[in-house]
Amino acid sequence: MGKTPKVALACAVLLVAGGGVAVVLANRSNSATSGAHKTLQLSTVTVVQKDLTTYTETTATLGFTTSTIISSPVAGTVTTIVTTGDTVDAGNIVATIDGNPVVALIGDIPGYRDLSTAASAGADIRQLEINLVSLGFDPNAKIHIDETYDSATAAAVTLWEDSLGLVGNGKVPQSEVVYIPGKVLVDTVSATVGGAAQSGSTLLTGRLAERRYLVTSTVAHGGVVDRFAAATTAVATGTVLFWDAGMPVVAIEGDANATPALERDLKIGSVGADVKVLEQMLSAGGFDPTNAMTIDDHFDAATSAAVTAWWQSLGMTVDTNAAIVVPAGSYVVVPSGLFVGNPTVADGTTLAGDATVLSLTRAAREVTTTAPIGDATFALGATIDVEFPDATIQPGIVVAVGNVATNTSNTPGATPSVPITIHVDTIPPAVDSFVQIPVTLRVVADSAPRAFVVPVSALVALAEGGYAIEVVTGKAPDGSDATKLIAVTPGLFANGFVAITGDQVQAGQNVVVPS
């Protein structure tokens, strides 16, 4: 019996230029498109069609954006106080001074006076009423959330004070409340039990873990609220936050301490600062294209026409023959830089009265880095992947590009850099205990969408030049796999894979790889 001759294949290792990856160099006499041969044992993978992407990575920092100081509203001896690591939220007792509780409520207006039915109207009363309603101390929905401290407000205050172990009398002394802009994580406690506190002295310092700006439904003092703006929507002048009894409730950026919300119906003949706020919104939204409206304190025919245009732009049917009336509660004035948070009631809820229905927020933690001036990768609104230490990856959006440039490299002539702020909606719990922590930004450097992709090890570098992949074509008579080489052109390399092109390349082909 004659011996079957053995064919020796001379192989070497070749580094693909620029890729730093090894492929097999085969000394084959057959061309790249012919020469089926037999292999007894073959390891194969499938050609897949998918996006292939490479990234440039840089280090950034995730950290809290705002530090908050809670000060004593009264002088006296500290008898109890929260401890480091505690959370302070609406309704929590921060400390007791001379045995009397100091309670945290949500709001941007600091307490500056005692409040009772004898108090003059003011935005601080509205702020108190929002908290009383939110905390459940108006069970019969008697409070109209406004700037007037009336008997319904006093009744809710009495319930609240009773819940604190006090003898409720319907009055709120300034010493009883501190207002905070949201949920606070306590970092440092400055006051000590038994020590003296002065009015205005620091009790504690903390991180703002959740910014809250509470928005209320007051259009109909009860009714259906629906069509809430999507969570994480950036709030600007003209953003419709929700619909209340069939009417839009819109945000207007401005000084909420001066005019926190529309407190009355507006119509032709109405005069006041609240009219001017409305007209500014209508003008900014482009609802007075002929500039017929004068932005002042007077609601006139031009104002009415602009309101009609606004409502029609929202899909409302407007009877142009009827007098236009903008109902109380149709707008709320909000600080700038907020996002829509989660509704506090379900979409389509029928309310029994005035209620808090939505919280506006700002990211408690942001990712910060620097980038050269004009770097389009970090342009405002750009999307950048953020990789956290637990290996989870979340999309981030550039929300701020600074205007103070510095030479961070200290190299003369180098392009100056500006600070960059990136917002990430979902931050993994694994980093919650860190005030600051490094993260990795993954910026797309190159991509090959819907490319034919194989492992780099599937590439065969031919002795005569060029590259091929070895494709299984079927079974040989002896039962082994029959293969052939087909010419390919390597493209993008990423994470051990390569994008390939070639006339005969198809998704689903079985390709030989080293075993």
Side-chain angles (χ1 to χ4, degrees):
M1 180 180 293
K3 294 183 179 179
T4 303
K6 295 181 179 178
V7 179
L9 294 179
C11 296
V13 172
L14 176 70
L15 288 178
V16 176
V21 289
V23 299
V24 175
L25 174 63
N27 182 12
R28 301 180 187 271
S29 60
N30 50 316
S31 70
T33 57
S34 64
H37 63 281
K38 301 174 184 178
T39 305
L40 294 179
Q41 292 184 343
L42 298 178
S43 296
T44 63
V45 296
T46 302
V47 176
V48 296
Q49 191 169 21
K50 66 177 184 178
D51 297 342
L52 197 63
T53 306
T54 59
Y55 297 91
T56 299
E57 296 186 342
T58 185
T59 300
T61 301
L62 172 70
F64 284 86
T65 61
T66 305
S67 178
T68 299
I69 294 174
I70 298 180
S71 301
S72 176
V74 64
T77 300
V78 178
T79 44
T80 65
I81 193 166
V82 295
T83 60
T84 298
D86 284 348
T87 297
V88 177
D89 207 344
N92 293 158
I93 296 175
V94 176
T96 56
I97 309 293
D98 293 337
N100 299 312
V102 176
V103 183
L105 297 178
I106 300 296
D108 289 3
I109 304 172
Y112 63 92
R113 60 174 177 163
D114 297 341
L115 295 178
S116 68
T117 53
S120 59
D124 55 342
I125 293 173
R126 177 186 177 86
Q127 180 174 263
L128 172 66
E129 290 179 335
I130 289 173
N131 279 273
L132 293 170
V133 171
S134 298
L135 292 171
F137 295 107
D138 182 37
N140 297 317
K142 298 295 185 181
I143 287 180
H144 283 186
I145 296 175
D146 54 22
E147 298 184 16
T148 302
Y149 197 118
D150 56 18
S151 59
T153 312
V157 166
T158 298
L159 284 178
W160 169 58
E161 290 179 325
D162 287 346
S163 76
L164 297 172
L166 303 172
V167 178
N169 61 5
K171 301 177 181 180
V172 182
Q174 180 186 344
S175 61
E176 199 165 80
V177 173
V178 289
Y179 284 97
I180 57 177
K183 184 167 66 175
V184 175
L185 298 178
V186 179
D187 286 327
T188 305
V189 178
S190 302
T192 57
V193 173
Q198 302 301 318
S199 179
S201 64
T202 299
L203 293 175
L204 62 90
T205 303
R207 290 165 278 160
L208 186 60
E210 182 185 349
R211 172 71 161 112
R212 288 203 199 118
Y213 191 85
L214 303 176
V215 180
T216 58
S217 161
T218 61
V219 168
H221 303 300
V224 176
V225 288
D226 57 7
R227 288 178 276 177
F228 287 94
T232 75
T233 298
V235 177
T237 294
T239 300
V240 176
L241 300 176
F242 61 97
W243 290 70
D244 188 350
M247 300 301 296
V249 177
V250 66
I252 300 176
E253 291 181 299
D255 183 2
N257 295 350
T259 308
L262 181 58
E263 293 269 310
R264 58 174 180 151
D265 293 349
L266 297 181
K267 57 186 178 181
I268 290 179
S270 296
V271 178
D274 50 359
V275 175
K276 186 174 183 178
V277 170
L278 174 66
E279 289 177 333
Q280 288 171 331
M281 184 276 291
L282 294 170
S283 177
F287 301 112
D288 179 37
T290 62
N291 295 320
M293 181 177 64
T294 301
I295 299 176
D296 55 16
D297 292 348
H298 298 270
F299 194 115
D300 55 19
T303 311
S304 178
V307 170
T308 298
W310 170 44
W311 283 347
Q312 288 175 335
S313 76
L314 298 175
M316 295 175 61
T317 300
V318 182
D319 183 355
T320 55
N321 294 317
I324 296 297
V325 178
V326 180
S330 289
Y331 70 69
V332 291
V333 178
V334 303
S336 61
L338 298 180
F339 295 86
V340 175
N342 293 316
T344 56
V345 298
D347 193 279
T349 295
T350 300
L351 302 174
D354 289 2
T356 300
V357 297
L358 183 65
S359 177
L360 305 184
T361 188
R362 180 184 293 123
R365 290 175 289 179
E366 303 276 30
V367 174
T368 55
T369 187
T370 59
I373 292 174
D375 187 342
T377 299
F378 294 96
L380 195 65
T383 299
I384 296 173
D385 284 344
V386 180
E387 183 174 1
F388 294 92
D390 64 353
T392 59
I393 297 173
Q394 295 291 340
I397 297 176
V398 176
V399 294
V401 177
N403 56 12
V404 177
T406 57
N407 186 340
T408 55
S409 67
N410 293 321
T411 302
T415 301
S417 294
V418 291
I420 303 294
T421 303
I422 300 168
H423 173 71
V424 182
D425 283 337
T426 304
I427 296 174
V431 300
D432 282 351
S433 60
F434 296 91
V435 177
Q436 287 188 339
I437 193 167
V439 295
T440 300
L441 303 183
R442 302 170 74 241
V443 180
V444 174
D446 200 357
S447 64
R450 293 190 55 77
F452 294 113
V453 176
V454 295
V456 172
S457 59
L459 286 180
V460 177
L462 301 175
E464 62 266 32
Y467 297 92
I469 56 174
E470 188 175 3
V471 177
V472 176
T473 59
K475 292 293 184 181
D478 64 357
S480 62
D481 288 328
T483 66
K484 71 173 182 178
L485 296 174
I486 64 173
V488 297
T489 301
L492 182 65
F493 290 83
N495 299 321
F497 291 89
V498 59
I500 57 174
T501 55
D503 292 341
Q504 300 180 60
V505 177
Q506 298 178 12
Q509 290 173 320
N510 288 326
V511 178
V512 177
V513 293
S515 56

